[in-house]
């Protein structure tokens, strides 16, 4: 086919069908996204403030986009926060970063972090005992899970803790993530006014200052085998020079956000789901009693907690912390038989795939049984991708899994987490799947 014929064939393809206008729903911004995916199918196209945008929600189409990073590069929405860190970079620079970070995330290395994760859970429960939470004083679940996840990811991955600044860092990263969601998500109504922009900038400054503090502190400390020490001795893949502070900053910010934001959101939704499903909670108690009998899970125990693992997986299905992934078309292209002009923004809607009624039975119900080993062959193909897929697939998957498998049984053997106002826990598609005002909960001691 000649170039002209190819161009004519491409021109004759349809654009993805879609609505002419999209109105946001401030109280439930996920609703229009899910509605459009259901109504218009695997490729739904419309114009947003980012230009022509296609929501991709079919398993095959999502796969095509995520497996082809040269054709569909990552959208630059996180650059403000993590610069050119591993979550944002592409091409040879990304490859070198991934190769450098990879050893820290191999299963065997991650297993060595078990004690650090258990320590974080122990500290969380101690805090609950000391500040009245263990006696029924209500608190916000998301915030407590951030407080649990942050020290673990700092100590395991950066070799340093910033205990004195945990609250400050959590506030700053929450604010930045919140505002970035509006910056980077064409489907969420914009809230950018002068006031909010100032708040976002102030939060970004706190975030950056804290990261520089860790870098300075660690530079002076003895070399270990944590990610930070690896970064200090690494060379830039292109210039051959040692990494400068900015490059190290980008990678540290990536680990902090990648490692603790997503994991804390996962823990928040998992506890929320358990609190809403008494029969699931009962079955978890039965498993913990049988396998652990009150002990903390060892690495060997983790492999025996099949139902706990299924609960973790089902929570990631129903509430995937990374609900969608944005990519930019680098050239005129075709996906799912639709014409994709260069520069099109494609958003793969993971949450729509995970809740597709054509693929899953009762998709809105929390049914961990789906993920028990005996049902493995009934999981629809390519329809479950909480950690993404393709070359950029999550490097921290084992880390997050181990954190859930260690901390959930530890806390759950001691306390029940209770939530009254379940209807207000409406997931919002910010950068991660958050509830803007949080999920108020209280705990009950299980014994003693
Ligand atoms: C439940 C928790 C987690 C979820 C749901 C999650 C989800 C994801 C997803 C969907 C991607 C793909 C991004 C893309 O294709 O653009 C990703 C990539 C990534 N994740 Fe995670 N993640 C989790 C935990 C972690 C942890 C604990 C870390 C680090 C400690 C981490 C670090 C990263 C990094 C560095 C990447 C970029 C990999 C690359 O581009 O090569 N994540 N994650």
């Amino acid at each position: 086919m000649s170039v002209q014929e190819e161009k004519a064939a491409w021109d004759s393809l349809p654009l993805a069908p879609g609505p002419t206008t999209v109105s946001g729903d401030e109280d439930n911004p996920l609703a229009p996204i899910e509605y459009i995916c259901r109504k218009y199918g695997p490729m739904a196209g419309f114009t947003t403030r980012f230009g022509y945008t296609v929501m991709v929600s079919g398993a095959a189409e999502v796969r095509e986009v995520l497996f082809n990073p040269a054709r569909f590069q990552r959208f630059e929405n996180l650059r403000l926060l993590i610069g050119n860190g591993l979550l944002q970079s592409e091409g040879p620079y990304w490859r070198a970063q991934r190769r450098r970070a990879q050893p820290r995330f191999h299963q065997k290395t991650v297993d060595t972090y078990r004690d650090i994760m258990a320590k974080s859970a122990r500290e969380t429960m101690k805090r609950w005992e000391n500040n009245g939470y263990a006696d029924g004083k209500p608190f916000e679940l998301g915030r407590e899970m951030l407080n649990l996840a942050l020290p673990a990811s700092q100590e395991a991955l950066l070799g340093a803790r910033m205990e004195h600044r945990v609250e400050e860092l959590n506030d700053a990263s929450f604010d930045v993530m919140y505002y970035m969601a509006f910056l980077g998500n064409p489907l969420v109504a914009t809230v950018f006014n002068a006031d909010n922009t100032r708040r976002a900038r102030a939060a970004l400054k706190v975030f950056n200052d804290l990261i520089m503090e860790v870098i300075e502190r660690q530079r002076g400390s003895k070399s270990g085998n944590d990610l930070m020490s690896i970064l200090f001795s690494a060379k830039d893949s292109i210039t051959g020079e040692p990494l400068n502070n900015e490059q190290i900053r980008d990678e540290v910010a990536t680990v902090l956000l990648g490692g603790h934001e997503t994991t804390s959101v996962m823990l928040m939704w998992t506890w929320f789901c358990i609190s809403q499903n008494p029969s699931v909670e009962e079955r978890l108690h039965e498993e913990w009693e049988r396998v652990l009998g009150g002990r903390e899970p060892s690495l060997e125990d983790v492999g025996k907690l099949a139902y706990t693992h299924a609960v973790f997986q089902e929570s990631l299905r129903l509430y995937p912390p990374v609900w969608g992934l944005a990519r930019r078309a680098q050239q005129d292209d075709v996906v799912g038989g639709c014409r994709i002009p260069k520069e099109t923004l494609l958003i793969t809607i993971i949450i729509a795939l995970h809740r597709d009624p054509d693929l899953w039975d009762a998709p809105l119900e929390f049914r961990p049984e789906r993920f028990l080993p005996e049902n493995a062959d009934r999981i629809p193909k390519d329809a479950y991708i909480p950690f993404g897929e393709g070359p950029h697939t999550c490097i921290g998957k084992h880390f997050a899994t181990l954190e859930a498998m260690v901390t959930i049984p530890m806390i759950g053997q001691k306390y029940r987490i209770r939530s009254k106002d379940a209807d207000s826990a409406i997931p919002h598609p910010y950068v991660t799947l958050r509830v803007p005002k949080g999920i108020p909960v209280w705990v009950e001691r299980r014994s003693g």
Side-chain angles (χ1 to χ4, degrees):
M1 211 191 273
S2 71
V3 176
Q4 285 89 340
E5 282 168 337
E6 258 181 35
K7 171 87 175 79
W10 185 80
D11 280 340
S12 70
L13 289 173
L15 287 171
T20 42
T21 54
V22 180
S23 44
D25 178 341
E26 227 169 90
D27 296 327
N28 187 358
L30 196 55
I33 298 178
E34 293 195 289
Y35 172 78
I36 292 170
C37 292
R38 291 287 89 81
K39 182 164 161 92
Y40 295 97
M43 303 283 290
F46 46 93
T47 301
T48 68
R49 66 181 198 277
F50 291 95
Y52 181 54
T53 302
V54 177
M55 292 205 303
V56 186
S57 62
E61 292 81 0
V62 169
R63 207 180 141 78
E64 169 129 26
V65 172
L66 296 183
F67 270 89
N68 289 291
R71 284 162 57 199
F72 306 106
Q73 286 204 358
R74 287 197 273 201
F75 179 51
E76 48 290 342
N77 58 340
L78 285 176
R79 204 172 287 278
L80 175 67
L81 197 54
I82 57 171
N84 208 20
L86 180 52
L87 251 173
Q88 186 67 78
S89 60
E90 287 285 7
Y93 192 80
W94 161 77
R95 204 163 294 114
Q97 280 175 317
R98 175 118 191 170
R99 216 175 287 135
R100 190 158 59 225
Q102 195 77 56
R104 307 307 313 144
F105 293 97
H106 283 151
Q107 175 120 34
K108 276 214 170 83
T109 312
V110 168
D111 282 352
T112 65
Y113 303 146
R114 181 251 162 231
D115 293 352
I116 293 174
M117 293 164 179
K119 183 165 119 191
S120 272
R122 249 177 270 129
E123 286 170 350
T124 297
M125 292 188 282
K126 196 165 162 208
R127 202 169 50 243
W128 292 0
E129 291 293 337
N130 290 343
N131 63 12
Y133 292 172
D135 296 314
K137 186 172 156 189
F139 61 92
E140 201 280 291
L141 182 58
R143 172 50 72 111
E144 270 307 298
M145 293 302 111
L146 274 170
N147 288 344
L148 188 156
L150 181 63
S153 62
Q154 283 181 343
E155 190 171 341
L157 299 167
L158 306 181
R161 276 186 170 213
M162 292 179 288
E163 263 126 352
H164 58 302
R165 303 187 77 171
V166 166
E167 287 286 327
E168 209 182 334
L169 184 58
N170 278 337
D171 276 343
S173 55
F174 187 90
D175 269 4
V176 175
M177 291 298 256
Y178 178 76
Y179 291 112
M180 283 222 334
F182 295 96
L183 259 188
N185 185 346
L187 309 168
V188 175
T190 176
V191 291
F192 266 84
N193 53 39
D195 226 36
N196 285 339
T197 309
R198 244 194 318 277
R199 214 175 130 187
R201 287 225 177 90
L204 194 60
K205 180 165 176 353
V206 173
F207 190 76
N208 277 331
D209 288 352
L210 286 166
I211 289 174
M212 290 317 284
E213 185 185 319
V214 185
I215 294 176
E216 288 311 322
R217 176 154 19 124
Q218 288 306 94
R219 217 184 252 293
S221 75
K222 278 202 208 82
S223 165
N225 68 349
D226 53 85
L227 184 63
M228 195 79 103
S229 308
I230 293 171
L231 292 173
F232 288 144
S233 54
K235 301 263 189 297
D236 184 307
S237 57
I238 295 160
T239 63
E241 295 290 317
L243 301 187
N244 60 35
N245 267 4
E246 200 160 306
Q247 287 171 307
I248 296 179
R249 187 219 83 97
D250 292 350
E251 302 219 11
V252 173
T254 300
V255 167
L256 277 181
L257 282 181
H260 106 287
E261 166 71 24
T262 48
T263 307
S264 67
V265 171
M266 169 273 288
L267 291 171
M268 176 186 84
W269 286 116
T270 307
W271 281 118
F272 174 75
C273 291
I274 296 170
S275 79
Q276 297 306 301
N277 291 277
S279 62
V280 170
E281 188 179 52
E282 209 169 293
R283 208 164 155 186
L284 283 171
H285 290 168
E286 183 281 315
E287 179 168 88
W288 297 335
E289 187 54 41
R290 181 167 38 79
V291 178
L292 304 171
R295 274 186 298 114
E296 289 182 1
S298 65
L299 284 175
E300 206 192 330
D301 294 326
V302 164
K304 297 181 192 153
L305 298 170
Y307 190 70
T308 310
H309 191 244
V311 166
F312 160 73
Q313 288 180 293
E314 176 68 341
S315 149
L316 286 174
R317 182 192 66 80
L318 196 52
Y319 296 103
V322 179
W323 59 274
L325 291 167
R327 300 290 195 262
R328 216 24 123 189
Q330 300 303 300
Q331 62 204 32
D332 287 347
D333 214 311
V334 179
V335 179
C338 297
R339 178 157 45 99
I340 303 291
K342 185 178 175 181
E343 298 290 321
T344 298
L345 175 63
L346 296 110
I347 309 182
T348 58
I349 312 286
I350 294 178
I351 194 163
L353 192 56
H354 284 188
R355 295 175 173 201
D356 186 341
D358 294 336
L359 298 173
W360 302 87
D361 289 339
L364 297 184
E365 285 177 22
F366 187 72
R367 292 187 183 174
E369 297 69 32
R370 309 175 202 270
F371 288 100
L372 286 175
E374 58 270 29
N375 297 328
D377 54 357
R378 286 163 53 191
I379 299 295
K381 193 171 167 329
D382 297 326
Y384 180 70
I385 53 165
F387 294 102
E389 59 183 347
H392 287 302
T393 190
C394 182
I395 204 172
K397 179 178 168 182
H398 295 313
F399 190 98
T401 306
L402 187 64
E403 185 144 349
M405 296 300 292
V406 169
T407 64
I408 291 174
M410 280 178 69
I411 293 175
Q413 287 187 101
K414 293 230 164 99
Y415 306 104
R416 292 171 201 271
I417 293 187
R418 294 280 172 250
S419 144
K420 196 160 43 183
D421 192 11
D423 291 343
S424 68
I426 298 172
H428 279 49
Y430 297 157
V431 178
T432 55
L433 204 64
R434 288 262 198 187
V435 180
K437 292 206 173 99
I439 304 182
V441 295
W442 74 98
V443 302
E444 289 167 1
R445 276 201 194 84
R446 283 194 58 210
S447 58

